[in-house]
Amino acid sequence: MSSSETSMETTIDKDLHVTFTHMMYHLLPNPYESQEINHLTLAYFVISSIDILNSLHLVEKEAVVNWVLSFQVRPGTTDDPNNGQFYGFNGSRTSQYPPDENGVFRYNNSHLASTYCALSILKIVGYDLSSLDSESISTSMKNLQQPDGSFMPILTGGETDLRFVYCAAAICFMLDNWSGMDKEKVKDYILNCQSYDGGFGLVPGAESHGGATYCAIASLRLMGFIEDDVLSSCNSSSLIDLPLLLDWILQRQGTDGGFQGRPNKSSDTCYAFWIGAVLRILGGCNFVDNKALRGFLLSCQYKYGGFSKFPGEFPDLYHSYYGFAAFSLLEESGLKSLCSELGITNIAANGV
């Protein structure tokens, strides 16, 4: 595709983006069939996008609540929350098995990331999370935490890294129930992921990465281990090496104005959020060339709505959502403000 097929507007075209996301709300295109296992995550991208675009009136909230709750796994009448299972949310119908004759979910595929997305959607549409059995979710989440403080995403195993640490922290924060994790162990795991260059890798010893760095900083903030706008306090006793982290982050903005996730990589729409949100949490937004960043994002705005990963490509749900989120962080007129550490709007995060 030629670059001429990408929107050359100098402003974000909100109306086109609302049309794009509303279309995705009603029917996902055929290429997303292969991602059915992540149906709740795709729904999160769509509904959170609509909310950021200040168009939540287009969503049938009661229908969304009922649909999301249908993925919840609950302990059966004869089941024990401490039996090694995790009572969260399945990500899709294909990962959902019916309970047995006693109401017990013997084949439980509930997933931390899907649970984070489910709770986020419910908060966005105004559902009172106190109506959930948060105790069973939190208590059973302990079964996913590993001795080193990390979390498996699902009780049958899987990778353990900062992505699922973040999901666990966000779940605890949204439910206002921290019984599901050993916070001190989580803190130590996160600190062990800070690399020699200041960024954070997904696991201890791994290469620094923009997404992993977001998961680390947002988790520490949600758990209360770092204060908001920590850079302004000049707190030399901070848990993390702030000067080194800031140096690594600021080197991620390229000559094209966009942010890269790692050194020697191309700028990518999603890192405008992953890196931008870290700077917002730390209080370092003034260090960014916002005009250049905005120009890069606009070069990824598609003429029929949505954002692509790189300039001149077709849009997708993932990069569209993070494009909207990035513009919210840039305080674009007409968009709702974002809660950086939760990835949803402030109105949804605060329940007002």
Side-chain angles (χ1 to χ4, degrees):
M1 186 196 310
S2 67
S3 59
S4 63
E5 290 185 82
T6 316
S7 172
M8 300 303 292
E9 296 289 334
T10 57
T11 59
I12 183 172
D13 196 327
K14 180 184 170 184
D15 290 342
L16 275 180
H17 295 311
V18 170
T19 300
F20 173 82
T21 53
H22 193 220
M23 179 180 66
M24 296 293 178
Y25 170 74
H26 284 289
L27 182 66
L28 291 177
N30 177 267
Y32 289 99
E33 283 186 353
S34 62
Q35 298 184 42
E36 197 279 335
I37 194 71
N38 298 315
H39 202 166
L40 261 179
T41 302
L42 296 174
Y44 161 74
F45 289 145
V46 172
I47 294 172
S48 195
S49 293
I50 291 174
D51 190 27
I52 292 172
L53 292 166
N54 206 12
S55 299
L56 202 56
H57 61 278
L58 297 174
V59 171
E60 301 171 46
K61 296 179 182 179
E62 185 176 353
V64 169
V65 167
N66 292 334
W67 181 76
V68 171
L69 292 179
S70 72
F71 291 102
Q72 186 178 5
V73 179
R74 300 178 178 86
T77 54
T78 62
D79 218 359
D80 176 6
N82 296 312
N83 64 356
Q85 303 223 30
F86 170 50
Y87 293 103
F89 288 77
N90 292 308
S92 69
R93 294 286 176 240
T94 55
S95 62
Q96 187 176 41
Y97 290 84
D100 65 14
E101 64 276 7
N102 296 315
V104 178
F105 287 89
R106 297 298 183 190
Y107 303 99
N108 179 353
N109 290 308
S110 58
H111 195 285
L112 271 180
S114 299
T115 303
Y116 159 73
C117 290
L119 297 181
S120 296
I121 294 171
L122 291 173
K123 284 187 72 68
I124 289 168
V125 297
Y127 181 79
D128 186 353
L129 294 188
S130 65
S131 301
L132 292 174
D133 181 5
S134 63
E135 195 59 37
S136 68
I137 297 174
S138 300
T139 302
S140 65
M141 199 171 75
K142 281 185 175 180
N143 298 319
L144 301 180
Q145 189 167 19
Q146 303 304 293
D148 64 358
S150 64
F151 277 83
M152 291 192 304
I154 192 168
L155 66 92
T156 51
E159 301 168 291
T160 59
D161 57 51
L162 284 179
R163 293 172 299 174
F164 308 117
V165 165
Y166 169 74
C167 289
I171 290 166
C172 290
F173 185 88
M174 286 189 281
L175 293 176
D176 193 22
N177 186 335
W178 293 91
S179 63
M181 67 159 60
D182 184 326
K183 290 171 71 173
E184 287 296 323
K185 282 188 174 182
V186 171
K187 179 189 71 175
D188 291 341
Y189 180 81
I190 293 173
L191 297 182
N192 286 332
C193 289
Q194 187 167 25
S195 185
Y196 69 92
D197 57 8
F200 287 78
L202 280 172
V203 297
E207 178 186 9
S208 294
H209 186 277
T213 299
Y214 169 81
C215 290
I217 298 303
S219 296
L220 290 172
R221 176 70 190 117
L222 290 169
M223 292 189 292
F225 287 122
I226 59 174
E227 60 190 278
D228 194 26
D229 198 12
V230 66
L231 289 175
S232 65
S233 68
C234 300
N235 187 354
S236 60
S237 61
S238 176
L239 289 170
I240 56 179
D241 189 329
L242 280 172
L244 198 61
L245 171 60
L246 186 61
D247 182 65
W248 183 83
I249 289 174
L250 296 181
Q251 290 184 53
R252 303 284 69 79
Q253 187 165 24
T255 56
D256 58 4
F259 279 107
Q260 59 181 189
R262 294 177 286 162
N264 302 314
K265 294 291 184 178
S266 299
S267 297
D268 177 334
T269 295
C270 69
Y271 291 107
F273 169 78
W274 298 122
I275 299 293
V278 172
L279 285 168
R280 173 62 64 89
I281 294 169
L282 297 178
C285 291
N286 291 337
F287 294 110
V288 177
D289 185 341
N290 286 335
K291 182 178 180 180
L293 176 58
R294 195 170 180 278
F296 172 80
L297 290 171
L298 287 172
S299 74
C300 297
Q301 179 178 232
Y302 192 63
K303 63 179 179 178
Y304 297 126
F307 286 87
S308 58
K309 179 176 183 175
F310 303 126
E313 295 190 352
F314 285 114
D316 61 79
L317 278 181
Y318 177 87
H319 291 92
S320 293
Y321 168 67
Y322 287 114
F324 305 141
F327 267 107
S328 176
L329 292 176
L330 289 171
E331 300 179 351
E332 184 76 10
S333 176
L335 303 188
K336 288 184 181 179
S337 61
L338 200 71
C339 174
S340 302
E341 54 266 43
L342 280 181
I344 57 179
T345 62
N346 279 317
I347 291 176
N350 297 324
V352 294

